[in-house]
Amino acid sequence: MAEKLIVPRSAIAASRYKNSESAFLAGGTEINRLNSYVDAKTLISIGRLGLDTINDAEIDGKPYLRIGATATFTDCIENPKVPEYFKQACHFMSSMVKRNMATVGGNVAIARDDSYLIPTLVASGALVEFSNEKIITVKEYYLRHFRHANKLIVAIYIDPSAKVRSKRYSNTASGHAYVTVAVCEKNVAVQIKGAGLVDTSRLEASSDRSEAFCLEWAEKVKNKNIKSDMFGSESYKRYLAGVTVSMLCKEGAR
Ligand SMILES: Cc1cc2nc3c(=O)[nH]c(=O)nc-3n(C[C@H](O)[C@H](O)[C@H](O)COP(=O)(O)OP(=O)(O)OC[C@H]3O[C@@H](n4cnc5c(N)ncnc54)[C@H](O)[C@@H]3O)c2cc1C
């Protein structure tokens, strides 16, 4: 339970307060959740820093849509500039009440193993910007465990013209996703509950998207955290991952 609330006036000031005992308070849907991953003595409110705008941007000559970190899922769904593939990922959060509060930055920051947005962002080659203006890919953010650093995310950059197809498997619309797959051209992101994003480099190195090849890839993925649990057996999750990659890629080729 937090004991102190700080309301800084700028992103730079907010990041100065951050340490291992504090957390940024964005939408608060994770922080205030029962059994939350976040246990902080001090909360640093970032809701009034003006980080919620959605604008066209350009990086190295390439057009992007810059989504401010405190833009909510609803802000994205209602904004005509936001591409449908990203709106679909926002809709993976089935509760409208939560969508009105939860922020894009908060979702990326915690990078859960059943994340609504990470697979789509990784497959589409999205970028993340910190308060010191450093920009890296969301994939790098995830793989290099930046989420354990005390960095304030100020924006996410998405490719407005990316052709992303994604699918999320859960027992109910509001339940945990046990497998989520997103594909975009040669990029493939596969997230499995317990394991998070699994290694898709062998898939991405090949252009073979036949069911046989994708199933063989899924069977051989080395990850000791893909386990049988209440959501299904290990082999079922591997099977789902393999057939879904193949199916989504074939859909895209049509
Ligand atoms: C019932 C329930 C079920 C949920 N199920 C899922 C689920 O299946 N998948 C899923 O992905 N999420 C789930 N969530 C968590 C949550 O709703 C989302 O992940 C949401 O997007 C988090 O954003 P927020 O703004 O509410 O974050 P907050 O709760 O405000 O913050 C969460 C964490 O992110 C950090 N943070 C927030 N903003 C930033 C920033 N700009 N820069 C750096 N760090 C930041 C904070 O320090 C904190 O540690 C669930 C929540 C509830 C209540």
Side-chain angles (χ1 to χ4, degrees), residues 148-180:
H148 301 305
N150 293 318
K151 298 206 179 298
L152 175 68
I153 295 171
V154 293
I156 305 298
Y157 290 77
I158 61 170
D159 179 348
S161 61
K163 302 271 177 288
V164 185
R165 288 168 307 285
S166 60
K167 185 141 182 67
R168 174 181 190 267
Y169 293 96
S170 60
N171 290 339
T172 62
S174 59
H176 296 294
Y178 42 91
V179 175
T180 308

Side-chain angles (χ1 to χ4, degrees), residues 40 48 50 58 101 131 216 225 227 232-233:
R48 291 190 202 154
E58 203 179 280
M101 298 167 71
S131 54
E216 192 224 292
N225 293 320
K227 291 180 181 157
S233 66

Side-chain angles (χ1 to χ4, degrees), residues 24-35:
F24 297 118
L25 177 64
T29 58
E30 177 59 49
I31 287 174
N32 295 320
R33 183 174 67 82
L34 194 66
N35 301 324

Side-chain angles (χ1 to χ4, degrees), residues 186-200:
K186 287 205 89 177
N187 298 346
V188 181
V190 175
Q191 175 184 261
I192 300 181
K193 181 115 187 94
L197 286 182
V198 300
D199 183 8
T200 50

Side-chain angles (χ1 to χ4, degrees), residues 31-159:
I31 287 174
N32 295 320
R33 183 174 67 82
L34 194 66
N35 301 324
S36 170
Y37 299 120
V38 186
D39 179 20
K41 289 208 170 84
T42 302
L43 295 181
I44 306 155
S45 172
I46 57 169
R48 291 190 202 154
L49 299 179
L51 300 177
D52 57 350
T53 54
I54 300 177
N55 304 310
D56 293 324
E58 203 179 280
I59 298 178
D60 296 335
K62 189 178 163 173
Y64 282 94
L65 192 67
R66 183 183 188 277
I67 301 179
T70 60
T72 63
F73 281 47
T74 299
D75 291 337
C76 295
I77 288 166
E78 290 183 348
N79 191 306
K81 283 182 185 259
V82 174
E84 280 308 315
Y85 76 82
F86 191 70
K87 292 186 183 190
Q88 184 189 348
C90 292
H91 273 293
F92 286 160
M93 180 183 272
S94 65
S95 154
M96 193 174 77
V97 176
K98 256 197 303 161
R99 289 199 302 263
N100 289 343
M101 298 167 71
T103 67
V104 171
N107 192 262
V108 172
I110 46 174
R112 286 173 44 149
D113 59 6
D114 56 0
S115 174
Y116 300 117
L117 303 182
I118 292 280
T120 289
L121 290 172
V122 167
S124 69
L127 309 172
V128 49
E129 179 184 1
F130 301 106
S131 54
N132 62 0
E133 294 179 11
K134 186 179 164 76
I135 297 179
I136 61 172
T137 62
V138 173
K139 187 171 185 178
E140 203 182 345
Y141 176 88
Y142 183 90
L143 294 178
R144 288 179 55 202
H145 304 283
F146 265 87
R147 61 193 184 280
H148 301 305
N150 293 318
K151 298 206 179 298
L152 175 68
I153 295 171
V154 293
I156 305 298
Y157 290 77
I158 61 170
D159 179 348

